[in-house]
Each structure stands twice: as structure tokens, then as C-alpha cells.
């Protein structure tokens, strides 16, 4: 930050950091207003613009969650984004890297910075196991590549020969990959005897793979 924040601006900034830490994406203006007791989203917008002027955040125009933290914009790993856009990953062959060229169906002309943390690729969703989380068959899940994951995050996990999208929960050496659909049982993993790789965490969804991102 380049300038000192007022107490109210600090509250807004702290809420943004908290939301991004817990959910992987920034809050909307309405969510900020509701959480901090503002009378309208316009009041939240005024504070956001003040934070931007002071260098605490960066605002991406015309998106409801277009808030970025400059300190968080350098990814842990290089992004797979190319001049063509984000790669869309279809079927993943057993044992091969998820970003192998043969897995890339096409590219989506959406900037990696649309998502927070920035997306490295889009994974086409198969099946309905995550439908109650709003992730449906044929959607594109925006994924940030990382092996660091917290309980409750939606992850792309590789278990033996399968790549799956599930909610992550860990208790000691035991992990559960949880579906968001009562018709699907949890996947139980004992890390002492089974290999589990985290390919990334979900940071957004594009409905139906048609390029319309959900914020």
C-alpha cells in the first residue's frame, strides 16, 4: 500500500482479504455493503475507488468481482495462459500432465486475471456430482494451479488414473473428496497407502462452456 488507509477503508480491505482467503475470489460490492453495514453497494464502490487510488487494490472494470490485490498477482507457478487465451482441458489421459497438448480442446479468449487467484486453465466438467455447488455437466471450471489447499475448497484431484472435481476435506492422514450431490458417496483416501495429487483449486465457473463467466 502506498498511502495510509482510514479505519473504514481498512475494514473494507480486510474484508476483501478475508473473503479471498476463504473462498478464492473477491466479494461483490453488495457483499461488502451487507457485511460492513453500508446502506448501498454505491457506498462500497466509493471505498473501493479510494483503496485503488491509494494503491491497496486494483479494480477491473465491468465485472462484479473485479477486485485484485497487487501483492497477490504474482502466481506461485507460471500461468498456462497463452496469447490465444486460457486452454480448455477435455479428457485427461491416465498418468499424463493435465496441461499436455493432447488434452487441450481449444482456447477461451478470457484473461487469466478475470479470476482470483488467476486461472491457469479451464477444465470441462463431466457428470453431475457437483451440481449443488452450481457446477454442471459441460461447464468450464477455472482452475488455479497449486498443491496448497484448505478444507472446504473445490479442487481438481488426481486419484490413481482418474481426475475429479470435488470439495476437499482432510483429517490427519485421511482425506475425503466430497460431492455436492446426495446421489454420490464421498471418496475416502488414506494418504498412507493411496496417492493423491492436487492439480489445482477452482476459482470460477463458465456456464455451459459458452464463454459466459459466473461471478
Amino acid at each position: 500500500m502506498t498511502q495510509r488507509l482510514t479505519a473504514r477503508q481498512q475494514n473494507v480491505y480486510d474484508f476483501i482479504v478475508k473473503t479471498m482467503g476463504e473462498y478464492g475470489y473477491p466479494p461483490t460490492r453488495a457483499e461488502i455493503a451487507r457485511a460492513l453495514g453500508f446502506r448501498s453497494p454505491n457506498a462500497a464502490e466509493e471505498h473501493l475507488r479510494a483503496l485503488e487510488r491509494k494503491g491497496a487494490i486494483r479494480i477491473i472494470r465491468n465485472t462484479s468481482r473485479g477486485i485484485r490485490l497487487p501483492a497477490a498477482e504474482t502466481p506461485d507457478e507460471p500461468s498456462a495462459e497463452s496469447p490465444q487465451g486460457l486452454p480448455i482441458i477435455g479428457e485427461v489421459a491416465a498418468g499424463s500432465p493435465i496441461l499436455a497438448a493432447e488434452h487441450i480442446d481449444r482456447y477461451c479468449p478470457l484473461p487469466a486475471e478475470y479470476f482470483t487467484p488467476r486461472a491457469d486453465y479451464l477444465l470441462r466438467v463431466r457428470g453431475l456430482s457437483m451440481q449443488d455447488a452450481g457446477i454442471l455437466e459441460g461447464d468450464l471450471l477455472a482452475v488455479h494451479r497449486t498443491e496448497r489447499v484448505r478444507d472446504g475448497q473445490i479442487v481438481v484431484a488426481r486419484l490413481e488414473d482418474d481426475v475429479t472435481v470435488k470439495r476437499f476435506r482432510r483429517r490427519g492422514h485421511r482425506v475425503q473428496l466430497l460431492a455436492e450431490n446426495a446421489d454420490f458417496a464421498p471418496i475416502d483416501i488414506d494418504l498412507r497407502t493411496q496417492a493423491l495429487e492436487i492439480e489445482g483449486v477452482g476459482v470460477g465457473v463458465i456456464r455451459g462452456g459458452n464463454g459466459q463467466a459466473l461471478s
Side-chain angles (χ1 to χ4, degrees), residues 65-142:
R65 297 188 190 274
I67 303 169
R68 301 293 181 266
L69 300 177
E73 290 192 322
T74 300
D76 294 335
E77 298 176 329
S79 172
E81 186 185 19
S82 77
Q84 305 172 76
L86 290 170
I88 297 176
I89 307 300
E91 297 290 342
V92 179
S96 60
I98 202 163
L99 283 169
E102 62 267 24
H103 300 157
I104 298 174
D105 290 343
R106 57 187 177 87
Y107 290 84
C108 176
L110 193 66
E113 292 82 4
Y114 184 91
F115 305 95
T116 301
R118 60 183 282 145
D120 291 288
Y121 61 93
L122 304 171
L123 180 68
R124 189 172 299 282
V125 176
R126 309 292 180 187
L128 297 173
S129 68
M130 297 299 287
Q131 67 177 10
D132 292 347
I135 303 173
L136 309 178
E137 172 93 36
D139 286 351
L140 297 176
L141 180 69

Side-chain angles (χ1 to χ4, degrees), residues 166-179:
K166 295 290 184 290
R167 199 173 293 281
F168 180 91
R169 185 169 70 187
R170 179 170 182 173
R171 298 292 182 269
H173 56 76
R174 293 192 175 275
V175 168
Q176 279 193 319
L177 299 178
L178 304 170

